Amino acid sequence: MKNPSVNTALMPIETNALALGFSGTLGNIDAYISAVNRLPMLTHDEEVSLAKQLRDKNDLGAAQKLVLSHLRLVVSIARGYLGYGLPHADLIQEGNIGLMKAVKRFDPDQGVRLVSYAMHWIKAEMHEYILKNWRLVKVATTKAQRKLFFNLRSHKEGLDAMTPSQVDALAKTLNVKREEVIEMETRLTGRDIALDAPTDDDDEKFAPIAYLSSELQEPTKVLEAQRYDRMQSEGLESALSKLDERSRRIVEARWLANDDGSGATLHELADEFGVSAERIRQIEAVALKKMKGSLAAFS
């Protein structure tokens, strides 16, 4: 979330720089609003003339006058969004950005007053700011969800959960599914929960981080497990198939006969094949080396 400090959200404005009614440097939100409300409003003819100067001659002075004369509109709109618990100064700042975008795109030949045209841009910037900063996790991402988010807050009565009849009525009014209304209300009434451990010393309490995370579900662990399972099945069978019959028998008897790893001894296999225990060890070493090369393709 942005720093709520007014000094960073609302840039100080000097009388000499604007010569449009500000008196001194504005250092707090109340002084800013008071100064904005004292700025003169433009007549329709003045507005059209300034807009044409900006469009045809890129006159930044004209743009400044158009912006300044509509700052009170931003303040008025921002006041309507104070219920979201975000700093008033930040809301005004975002609205001012929308106002400047509107002034840049305003066409005086359309016959529409700037105040009507700018409202869309001002609200759009405020909406974007609210959705990004109201919660750590976004509550609305699609255009339809955003519309439902703001309409639901204005239609919802109090803090109590909506009744089925209220849900149905609102879904009909907004032309959305009742399931979507229920889901958005759940998002609105939910709250952010810290994942870190609690600050007290109560051993009986656990923060969500203690039970939401699991090493078994960690991506690298999952990939390792999948790779190991594949090596145990496809890889092992493929490696064994490349050994001669005696070598395969020795490896299976030594390492794969029992799950606990208690396979045949070198002497037992030596008696079976009529060779020395050392010879069995040599055959085993060569077979394991060959298998390691085959298993490399599955790692």
Side-chain angles (χ1 to χ4, degrees), residues 218-258:
E218 202 272 328
T220 57
K221 297 291 185 182
V222 173
L223 291 176
E224 288 177 2
Q226 292 176 347
R227 185 165 57 244
Y228 179 78
D229 290 342
R230 184 164 175 256
M231 184 182 294
Q232 285 286 83
S233 55
E234 300 176 31
L236 187 57
E237 183 59 36
S238 175
L240 287 171
S241 67
K242 296 178 181 180
L243 299 177
D244 59 78
E245 185 175 347
R246 183 174 63 174
S247 297
R248 177 167 181 162
R249 165 61 185 156
I250 292 174
V251 170
E252 288 179 340
R254 288 276 289 159
W255 302 103
L256 304 176
N258 300 312

Side-chain angles (χ1 to χ4, degrees), residues 109-158:
D109 295 331
Q110 293 295 323
V112 179
R113 291 298 301 264
L114 177 57
V115 62
S116 301
Y117 181 75
M119 287 183 67
H120 163 78
W121 291 93
I122 295 169
K123 289 183 177 181
E125 291 296 324
M126 290 185 185
H127 287 185
E128 188 69 21
Y129 168 71
I130 292 170
L131 291 172
K132 286 182 178 179
N133 294 275
W134 192 61
R135 287 280 167 81
L136 292 175
V137 179
K138 290 185 178 180
V139 294
T141 54
T142 66
K143 183 177 180 180
Q145 287 177 337
R146 294 182 181 202
K147 180 180 179 181
L148 180 57
F149 174 85
F150 289 102
N151 278 283
L152 183 59
R153 281 189 64 89
S154 62
H155 285 80
K156 186 174 170 62
E157 298 178 2

Side-chain angles (χ1 to χ4, degrees), residues 67-79:
V67 169
L68 290 172
S69 65
H70 289 80
L71 290 178
R72 68 180 67 197
L73 173 64
V74 176
V75 171
S76 176
I77 295 175
R79 192 175 294 116

Side-chain angles (χ1 to χ4, degrees), residues 245-257 262-285 287-288:
E245 185 175 347
R246 183 174 63 174
S247 297
R248 177 167 181 162
R249 165 61 185 156
I250 292 174
V251 170
E252 288 179 340
R254 288 276 289 159
W255 302 103
L256 304 176
S262 59
T265 66
L266 294 175
H267 291 286
E268 289 173 342
L269 290 171
D271 293 339
E272 179 180 338
F273 290 103
V275 296
S276 66
E278 175 61 20
R279 180 56 182 155
I280 295 297
R281 188 194 65 77
Q282 292 172 356
I283 295 173
E284 177 189 43
L288 292 177

Side-chain angles (χ1 to χ4, degrees), residues 5 12 27 47 49 64 88 207 212 248 265 280 291 295:
S5 171
E47 181 179 291
S49 176
Q64 184 184 67
H88 194 186
L212 289 180
R248 177 167 181 162
T265 66
I280 295 297
M291 289 181 65
L295 290 172

Side-chain angles (χ1 to χ4, degrees), residues 173-206:
T173 301
L174 301 179
N175 193 27
V176 296
K177 298 178 181 178
R178 69 184 312 274
E179 291 80 9
E180 294 175 329
V181 175
I182 295 173
E183 180 183 359
M184 185 56 67
E185 185 189 24
T186 302
R187 297 184 185 185
L188 284 171
T189 54
R191 61 187 180 89
D192 297 328
I193 301 176
L195 291 177
D196 297 332
T199 56
D200 55 44
D201 296 327
D202 191 349
D203 293 335
E204 298 300 320
K205 294 183 178 180
F206 295 93

Side-chain angles (χ1 to χ4, degrees), residues 31-46:
Y32 174 84
I33 294 175
S34 177
V36 162
N37 288 332
R38 293 198 303 269
L39 289 171
M41 299 182 66
L42 299 174
T43 65
H44 187 203
D45 291 339
E46 290 174 332

